[in-house]
Amino acid sequence: MSHHAAKSELRHRGGGDAGTARSSPAGTLINDDGIETVCDATTHVVTGTSAARVTLDRPLPHDLDEAIPAPWLPRATRAVDADHPDGTLHNPHENMSVLQQHVMFFDRNNDGIITPLETYQGFRALGFNILFSIAAMLVINLNFAYVTQKSWIPDPRFYIHVENIHKAKHGSDSGTYDTEGRFIPAKFEELFAKYAKTNPGYLTFAEGLAMTEALRCATDPFGWFAAKFEFGTLYLLCMERDPTSGERIMPREYMRAQYDGSLFYRIEQTRKDEAHRRELAMAHRRAAIARGEPADHGAPIDVAAGIDMQGKPPAGLPPGWSMTNDTAVPTVG
Protein backbone atom coordinates (compact mmCIF):
# COMPACT_ATOMS: atom_id res chain seq x y z
CA MET A 1 0.00 0.00 0.00
CA SER A 2 1.37 3.47 -0.91
CA HIS A 3 1.94 6.28 1.57
CA HIS A 4 -0.87 8.21 -0.15
CA ALA A 5 -3.26 5.32 0.42
CA ALA A 6 -2.18 5.07 4.04
CA LYS A 7 -2.70 8.79 4.51
CA SER A 8 -6.14 8.60 2.94
CA GLU A 9 -7.11 5.61 5.06
CA LEU A 10 -6.04 7.35 8.26
CA ARG A 11 -8.11 10.36 7.33
CA HIS A 12 -11.13 8.20 6.42
CA ARG A 13 -10.88 5.43 8.96
CA GLY A 14 -13.45 2.74 8.27
CA GLY A 15 -14.40 4.15 4.84
CA GLY A 16 -13.77 2.91 1.33
CA ASP A 17 -14.85 -0.15 -0.58
CA ALA A 18 -13.66 -3.73 -0.47
CA GLY A 19 -10.74 -2.93 -2.75
CA THR A 20 -9.10 -0.49 -0.32
CA ALA A 21 -7.17 -1.01 2.91
CA ARG A 22 -9.15 -1.40 6.10
CA SER A 23 -8.22 0.17 9.35
CA SER A 24 -7.87 -1.39 12.78
CA PRO A 25 -6.95 0.60 15.95
CA ALA A 26 -5.46 4.08 15.50
CA GLY A 27 -2.43 4.18 13.25
CA THR A 28 -2.72 0.50 12.26
CA LEU A 29 -3.75 -0.60 8.76
CA ILE A 30 -4.50 -4.04 7.31
CA ASN A 31 -4.69 -4.49 3.53
CA ASP A 32 -6.50 -7.20 1.57
CA ASP A 33 -3.44 -9.44 1.69
CA GLY A 34 -3.59 -9.40 5.49
CA ILE A 35 -0.43 -7.31 5.82
CA GLU A 36 -0.55 -5.14 8.92
CA THR A 37 1.27 -1.81 8.92
CA VAL A 38 1.73 0.87 11.57
CA CYS A 39 1.76 4.51 10.53
CA ASP A 40 2.80 7.60 12.41
CA ALA A 41 -0.42 9.50 13.02
CA THR A 42 1.15 12.88 12.25
CA THR A 43 3.45 12.21 9.30
CA HIS A 44 1.67 9.07 8.01
CA VAL A 45 5.06 7.43 7.57
CA VAL A 46 4.90 3.63 7.81
CA THR A 47 7.10 2.54 10.71
CA GLY A 48 6.13 -1.11 11.02
CA THR A 49 4.85 -3.98 8.90
CA SER A 50 3.86 -7.54 9.69
CA ALA A 51 5.87 -8.64 6.67
CA ALA A 52 8.89 -7.89 8.91
CA ARG A 53 7.43 -8.76 12.30
CA VAL A 54 10.40 -7.32 14.15
CA THR A 55 9.34 -3.81 13.06
CA LEU A 56 6.09 -4.27 15.00
CA ASP A 57 7.75 -5.89 17.99
CA ARG A 58 10.18 -2.97 18.32
CA PRO A 59 8.10 0.18 17.84
CA LEU A 60 9.61 3.62 17.36
CA PRO A 61 9.00 6.66 19.58
CA HIS A 62 6.58 9.24 18.19
CA ASP A 63 6.15 12.99 18.59
CA LEU A 64 9.67 13.42 19.95
CA ASP A 65 9.89 16.90 18.49
CA GLU A 66 7.23 18.01 20.98
CA ALA A 67 9.69 17.38 23.82
CA ILE A 68 13.05 17.76 22.05
CA PRO A 69 13.78 20.24 19.27
CA ALA A 70 15.14 18.37 16.22
CA PRO A 71 15.56 15.05 18.07
CA TRP A 72 17.49 13.48 15.18
CA LEU A 73 20.10 16.24 15.25
CA PRO A 74 23.21 15.00 17.11
CA ARG A 75 24.24 17.09 20.15
CA ALA A 76 27.97 17.68 20.46
CA THR A 77 28.04 18.55 24.18
CA ARG A 78 24.69 17.59 25.78
CA ALA A 79 23.08 14.22 26.48
CA VAL A 80 19.49 15.26 25.80
CA ASP A 81 16.29 13.28 26.21
CA ALA A 82 12.57 13.99 26.54
CA ASP A 83 12.89 14.46 30.30
CA HIS A 84 16.05 16.58 30.05
CA PRO A 85 15.79 18.71 26.90
CA ASP A 86 18.81 20.73 28.06
CA GLY A 87 20.88 17.71 29.13
CA THR A 88 22.89 17.74 32.35
CA LEU A 89 23.48 21.28 33.55
CA HIS A 90 26.88 22.23 35.00
CA ASN A 91 28.37 18.90 34.01
CA PRO A 92 32.16 18.68 34.40
CA HIS A 93 33.94 19.13 31.05
CA GLU A 94 30.64 20.30 29.49
CA ASN A 95 32.46 21.82 26.50
CA MET A 96 33.84 18.45 25.41
CA SER A 97 31.97 16.02 23.19
CA VAL A 98 29.48 13.79 25.01
CA LEU A 99 31.67 10.73 24.40
CA GLN A 100 34.69 12.60 25.80
CA GLN A 101 32.62 13.56 28.85
CA HIS A 102 31.71 9.90 29.25
CA VAL A 103 35.36 8.85 29.70
CA MET A 104 36.79 11.93 31.45
CA PHE A 105 35.83 10.56 34.87
CA PHE A 106 38.59 7.99 34.38
CA ASP A 107 41.17 10.66 33.52
CA ARG A 108 41.89 11.18 37.18
CA ASN A 109 44.41 14.01 36.71
CA ASN A 110 42.64 15.65 33.75
CA ASP A 111 45.66 15.55 31.45
CA GLY A 112 43.79 14.11 28.48
CA ILE A 113 45.29 10.63 28.89
CA ILE A 114 43.72 7.65 30.64
CA THR A 115 46.39 5.28 31.88
CA PRO A 116 45.65 1.68 32.93
CA LEU A 117 46.17 2.74 36.54
CA GLU A 118 43.63 5.55 36.17
CA THR A 119 41.08 3.16 34.70
CA TYR A 120 41.61 0.90 37.71
CA GLN A 121 41.33 3.86 40.11
CA GLY A 122 38.14 5.04 38.43
CA PHE A 123 36.44 1.68 38.84
CA ARG A 124 37.55 1.48 42.45
CA ALA A 125 36.15 4.98 43.05
CA LEU A 126 32.81 3.70 41.74
CA GLY A 127 32.82 0.88 44.29
CA PHE A 128 33.92 -2.11 42.21
CA ASN A 129 36.16 -4.64 43.90
CA ILE A 130 39.83 -5.16 43.08
CA LEU A 131 39.39 -8.15 40.75
CA PHE A 132 36.62 -6.53 38.69
CA SER A 133 38.57 -3.26 38.46
CA ILE A 134 41.65 -5.10 37.18
CA ALA A 135 39.54 -6.98 34.63
CA ALA A 136 37.91 -3.74 33.46
CA MET A 137 41.32 -2.08 33.17
CA LEU A 138 42.58 -4.91 30.96
CA VAL A 139 39.48 -5.00 28.75
CA ILE A 140 39.37 -1.23 28.27
CA ASN A 141 42.99 -0.22 27.92
CA LEU A 142 44.15 -3.26 25.95
CA ASN A 143 41.36 -2.86 23.41
CA PHE A 144 40.91 0.90 23.13
CA ALA A 145 44.37 2.38 23.67
CA TYR A 146 45.88 1.74 20.25
CA VAL A 147 42.97 3.10 18.21
CA THR A 148 43.16 6.45 20.06
CA GLN A 149 46.91 6.89 19.60
CA LYS A 150 48.35 9.67 17.48
CA SER A 151 51.03 7.36 16.04
CA TRP A 152 50.93 4.09 14.12
CA ILE A 153 53.66 2.77 16.40
CA PRO A 154 52.03 0.93 19.35
CA ASP A 155 52.57 2.49 22.76
CA PRO A 156 53.35 -0.29 25.26
CA ARG A 157 51.93 1.84 28.08
CA PHE A 158 48.39 1.39 26.68
CA TYR A 159 47.38 5.01 27.18
CA ILE A 160 43.93 6.07 25.97
CA HIS A 161 43.94 9.55 24.42
CA VAL A 162 40.67 11.35 25.19
CA GLU A 163 41.05 13.63 22.17
CA ASN A 164 40.65 10.62 19.86
CA ILE A 165 38.15 8.62 21.90
CA HIS A 166 35.66 8.75 19.00
CA LYS A 167 37.95 6.30 17.18
CA ALA A 168 37.20 3.75 19.91
CA LYS A 169 33.50 3.52 19.04
CA HIS A 170 32.78 -0.16 18.47
CA GLY A 171 30.15 -2.04 16.50
CA SER A 172 26.94 -3.61 17.82
CA ASP A 173 26.30 -0.58 20.01
CA SER A 174 23.10 1.45 20.34
CA GLY A 175 24.13 4.14 17.85
CA THR A 176 23.39 6.80 20.47
CA TYR A 177 26.90 8.15 19.92
CA ASP A 178 27.65 9.07 16.34
CA THR A 179 31.08 8.42 14.81
CA GLU A 180 32.36 11.76 16.12
CA GLY A 181 31.16 11.19 19.70
CA ARG A 182 28.03 13.34 19.54
CA PHE A 183 24.80 12.26 21.26
CA ILE A 184 21.70 11.49 19.16
CA PRO A 185 18.56 11.98 21.32
CA ALA A 186 16.28 10.00 19.02
CA LYS A 187 18.52 6.94 19.18
CA PHE A 188 18.45 7.05 22.98
CA GLU A 189 14.67 7.35 22.97
CA GLU A 190 14.51 4.36 20.63
CA LEU A 191 16.14 2.14 23.24
CA PHE A 192 13.21 2.53 25.62
CA ALA A 193 10.52 2.56 22.94
CA LYS A 194 11.82 -0.73 21.56
CA TYR A 195 13.06 -2.64 24.57
CA ALA A 196 11.42 -1.29 27.75
CA LYS A 197 8.45 -3.66 27.66
CA THR A 198 7.71 -3.60 31.39
CA ASN A 199 7.87 0.13 32.06
CA PRO A 200 9.09 3.03 29.87
CA GLY A 201 11.06 4.39 32.83
CA TYR A 202 13.51 1.53 33.15
CA LEU A 203 15.03 -1.62 31.67
CA THR A 204 15.04 -4.94 33.48
CA PHE A 205 18.13 -7.11 33.22
CA ALA A 206 16.36 -9.42 30.76
CA GLU A 207 15.29 -6.44 28.64
CA GLY A 208 18.84 -5.11 28.67
CA LEU A 209 20.21 -8.43 27.47
CA ALA A 210 17.54 -8.57 24.78
CA MET A 211 18.61 -5.08 23.72
CA THR A 212 22.26 -6.12 23.34
CA GLU A 213 21.16 -9.17 21.33
CA ALA A 214 18.97 -7.06 19.06
CA LEU A 215 21.78 -4.60 18.38
CA ARG A 216 24.28 -7.24 17.30
CA CYS A 217 25.95 -6.70 13.94
CA ALA A 218 27.02 -9.71 11.87
CA THR A 219 30.59 -11.01 12.28
CA ASP A 220 31.32 -8.61 15.15
CA PRO A 221 32.26 -10.80 18.16
CA PHE A 222 34.17 -8.00 19.90
CA GLY A 223 31.18 -5.67 19.58
CA TRP A 224 28.88 -8.37 20.97
CA PHE A 225 31.14 -8.81 23.97
CA ALA A 226 31.69 -5.07 24.48
CA ALA A 227 27.97 -4.29 24.44
CA LYS A 228 27.20 -6.93 27.06
CA PHE A 229 30.20 -5.95 29.17
CA GLU A 230 29.13 -2.30 29.16
CA PHE A 231 25.49 -2.98 30.00
CA GLY A 232 26.41 -5.57 32.62
CA THR A 233 28.85 -3.18 34.27
CA LEU A 234 26.30 -0.38 34.30
CA TYR A 235 23.68 -2.73 35.71
CA LEU A 236 26.00 -3.81 38.54
CA LEU A 237 26.89 -0.19 39.19
CA CYS A 238 23.46 1.29 39.72
CA MET A 239 20.68 -1.28 39.62
CA GLU A 240 17.70 -0.56 41.84
CA ARG A 241 14.66 -2.52 42.95
CA ASP A 242 11.29 -1.62 41.55
CA PRO A 243 9.20 -0.77 44.65
CA THR A 244 6.14 -2.43 43.10
CA SER A 245 7.48 -5.67 41.65
CA GLY A 246 10.72 -5.95 43.61
CA GLU A 247 12.57 -6.68 40.37
CA ARG A 248 16.05 -5.28 39.85
CA ILE A 249 15.95 -2.55 37.22
CA MET A 250 18.10 -0.03 35.36
CA PRO A 251 16.41 3.41 35.62
CA ARG A 252 16.22 5.45 32.45
CA GLU A 253 17.92 8.48 34.02
CA TYR A 254 20.95 6.41 35.00
CA MET A 255 21.23 5.24 31.41
CA ARG A 256 21.13 8.82 30.14
CA ALA A 257 23.55 10.16 32.75
CA GLN A 258 26.19 7.54 32.01
CA TYR A 259 26.41 8.77 28.42
CA ASP A 260 27.76 12.16 29.54
CA GLY A 261 29.61 10.73 32.55
CA SER A 262 27.64 12.75 35.10
CA LEU A 263 26.41 9.49 36.68
CA PHE A 264 29.96 8.52 37.62
CA TYR A 265 30.61 11.77 39.47
CA ARG A 266 27.31 11.42 41.34
CA ILE A 267 28.13 7.89 42.45
CA GLU A 268 31.64 8.81 43.55
CA GLN A 269 30.34 11.77 45.57
CA THR A 270 27.62 9.64 47.13
CA ARG A 271 30.20 7.08 48.20
CA LYS A 272 32.39 9.82 49.71
CA ASP A 273 29.40 11.23 51.60
CA GLU A 274 28.49 7.80 52.91
CA ALA A 275 32.07 7.17 54.03
CA HIS A 276 32.09 10.54 55.79
CA ARG A 277 28.84 9.70 57.58
CA ARG A 278 30.27 6.39 58.73
CA GLU A 279 33.37 8.12 60.06
CA LEU A 280 31.26 10.62 61.97
CA ALA A 281 29.08 7.88 63.42
CA MET A 282 32.17 5.95 64.52
CA ALA A 283 33.64 9.11 66.06
CA HIS A 284 30.45 9.63 68.04
CA ARG A 285 30.50 6.05 69.31
CA ARG A 286 34.16 6.28 70.28
CA ALA A 287 33.53 9.56 72.08
CA ALA A 288 30.62 8.03 74.01
CA ILE A 289 32.74 5.05 75.02
CA ALA A 290 35.58 7.36 76.11
CA ARG A 291 33.13 9.12 78.44
CA GLY A 292 32.06 5.79 79.88
CA GLU A 293 28.66 5.97 78.22
CA PRO A 294 26.88 3.47 75.92
CA ALA A 295 27.96 3.80 72.31
CA ASP A 296 24.48 4.99 71.33
CA HIS A 297 24.14 7.39 74.29
CA GLY A 298 22.83 10.91 73.75
CA ALA A 299 20.78 12.63 71.11
CA PRO A 300 20.55 10.94 67.68
CA ILE A 301 23.31 12.15 65.41
CA ASP A 302 22.74 13.63 61.99
CA VAL A 303 26.11 12.35 60.84
CA ALA A 304 25.83 14.06 57.45
CA ALA A 305 25.89 17.43 59.19
CA GLY A 306 27.97 16.39 62.19
CA ILE A 307 25.42 17.69 64.71
CA ASP A 308 22.82 16.14 66.97
CA MET A 309 19.11 16.59 66.42
CA GLN A 310 19.13 19.37 69.04
CA GLY A 311 21.52 21.41 66.89
CA LYS A 312 24.66 20.81 69.00
CA PRO A 313 27.93 19.24 67.84
CA PRO A 314 28.82 15.89 69.44
CA ALA A 315 30.94 16.42 72.53
CA GLY A 316 34.17 14.72 73.59
CA LEU A 317 35.58 13.82 70.19
CA PRO A 318 38.44 11.31 70.35
CA PRO A 319 42.02 12.21 69.39
CA GLY A 320 42.47 12.86 65.69
CA TRP A 321 39.10 14.61 65.30
CA SER A 322 38.17 18.27 65.52
CA MET A 323 35.16 20.51 64.94
CA THR A 324 35.10 22.71 61.83
CA ASN A 325 32.01 24.83 61.24
CA ASP A 326 30.07 22.60 63.62
CA THR A 327 31.15 19.51 61.69
CA ALA A 328 33.34 16.74 63.09
CA VAL A 329 36.22 16.12 60.68
CA PRO A 330 39.46 14.14 60.90
CA THR A 331 42.47 16.30 61.77
CA VAL A 332 44.92 16.50 58.87
CA GLY A 333 48.63 16.12 59.60
Side-chain angles (χ1 to χ4, degrees), residues 247-324:
E247 188 173 14
R248 289 187 174 93
I249 61 171
M250 170 58 58
R252 170 193 172 97
E253 167 55 8
Y254 293 172
M255 286 277 287
R256 185 200 68 83
Q258 62 89 22
Y259 277 102
D260 65 11
S262 59
L263 174 68
F264 306 142
Y265 294 99
R266 294 183 211 170
I267 292 175
E268 181 182 36
Q269 188 59 52
T270 298
R271 286 177 50 79
K272 287 180 178 178
D273 292 343
E274 289 175 350
H276 185 56
R277 286 194 291 270
R278 288 194 297 268
E279 289 176 348
L280 290 175
M282 182 61 70
H284 174 68
R285 288 193 290 269
R286 290 172 58 191
I289 293 172
R291 296 193 300 268
E293 301 169 348
D296 58 352
H297 177 79
I301 295 293
D302 178 358
V303 292
I307 59 176
D308 64 28
M309 295 305 183
Q310 299 168 353
K312 297 178 293 185
L317 291 174
W321 289 79
S322 62
M323 296 301 301
T324 302

Side-chain angles (χ1 to χ4, degrees), residues 24-289:
S24 74
T28 302
L29 306 170
I30 302 176
N31 66 14
D32 289 339
D33 295 326
I35 300 296
E36 177 184 351
T37 58
V38 174
C39 295
D40 181 89
T42 302
T43 63
H44 309 291
V45 172
V46 176
T47 60
T49 172
S50 60
R53 191 70 203 179
V54 68
T55 62
L56 299 180
D57 295 338
R58 301 173 191 167
L60 293 175
H62 295 288
D63 301 322
L64 280 182
D65 51 353
E66 294 181 3
I68 309 170
W72 285 102
L73 186 64
R75 268 59 169 183
T77 61
R78 296 290 178 93
V80 170
D81 72 350
D83 298 323
H84 304 82
D86 296 318
T88 303
L89 301 180
H90 312 297
N91 194 32
H93 315 291
E94 62 183 358
N95 292 321
M96 288 184 162
S97 75
V98 177
L99 182 54
Q100 288 175 328
Q101 293 175 38
H102 172 74
V103 302
M104 275 302 294
F105 172 82
F106 299 93
D107 182 7
R108 307 302 284 176
N109 60 1
N110 294 318
D111 65 350
I113 294 174
I114 303 173
T115 68
L117 178 60
E118 286 180 312
T119 301
Y120 170 84
Q121 291 172 337
F123 275 87
R124 292 291 287 155
L126 292 173
F128 289 100
N129 63 34
I130 292 174
L131 290 179
F132 189 95
S133 299
I134 291 175
M137 173 191 71
L138 294 174
V139 169
I140 293 171
N141 284 77
L142 289 180
N143 287 288
F144 297 124
Y146 180 70
V147 294
T148 67
Q149 287 184 192
K150 301 178 181 179
S151 169
W152 288 101
I153 302 174
D155 184 346
R157 297 171 297 180
F158 293 100
Y159 287 176
I160 295 175
H161 295 260
V162 176
E163 178 184 359
N164 295 324
I165 195 62
H166 61 282
K167 296 181 179 180
K169 177 177 162 65
H170 59 78
S172 301
D173 67 346
S174 68
T176 303
Y177 295 123
D178 70 6
T179 51
E180 292 72 43
R182 291 178 288 243
F183 182 90
I184 306 175
K187 298 299 291 183
F188 176 76
E189 296 291 343
E190 274 188 26
L191 298 180
F192 288 87
K194 290 181 177 181
Y195 308 112
K197 305 298 186 181
T198 307
N199 186 301
Y202 60 72
L203 291 175
T204 66
F205 184 71
E207 289 168 347
L209 284 183
M211 175 186 71
T212 61
E213 284 293 302
L215 294 171
R216 286 172 51 157
C217 297
T219 65
D220 180 30
F222 175 74
W224 306 340
F225 165 77
K228 284 183 169 56
F229 174 79
E230 290 163 357
F231 177 78
T233 300
L234 183 63
Y235 187 82
L236 289 174
L237 180 62
C238 51
M239 63 181 174
E240 291 184 350
R241 284 195 180 274
D242 179 20
T244 303
S245 66
E247 188 173 14
R248 289 187 174 93
I249 61 171
M250 170 58 58
R252 170 193 172 97
E253 167 55 8
Y254 293 172
M255 286 277 287
R256 185 200 68 83
Q258 62 89 22
Y259 277 102
D260 65 11
S262 59
L263 174 68
F264 306 142
Y265 294 99
R266 294 183 211 170
I267 292 175
E268 181 182 36
Q269 188 59 52
T270 298
R271 286 177 50 79
K272 287 180 178 178
D273 292 343
E274 289 175 350
H276 185 56
R277 286 194 291 270
R278 288 194 297 268
E279 289 176 348
L280 290 175
M282 182 61 70
H284 174 68
R285 288 193 290 269
R286 290 172 58 191
I289 293 172

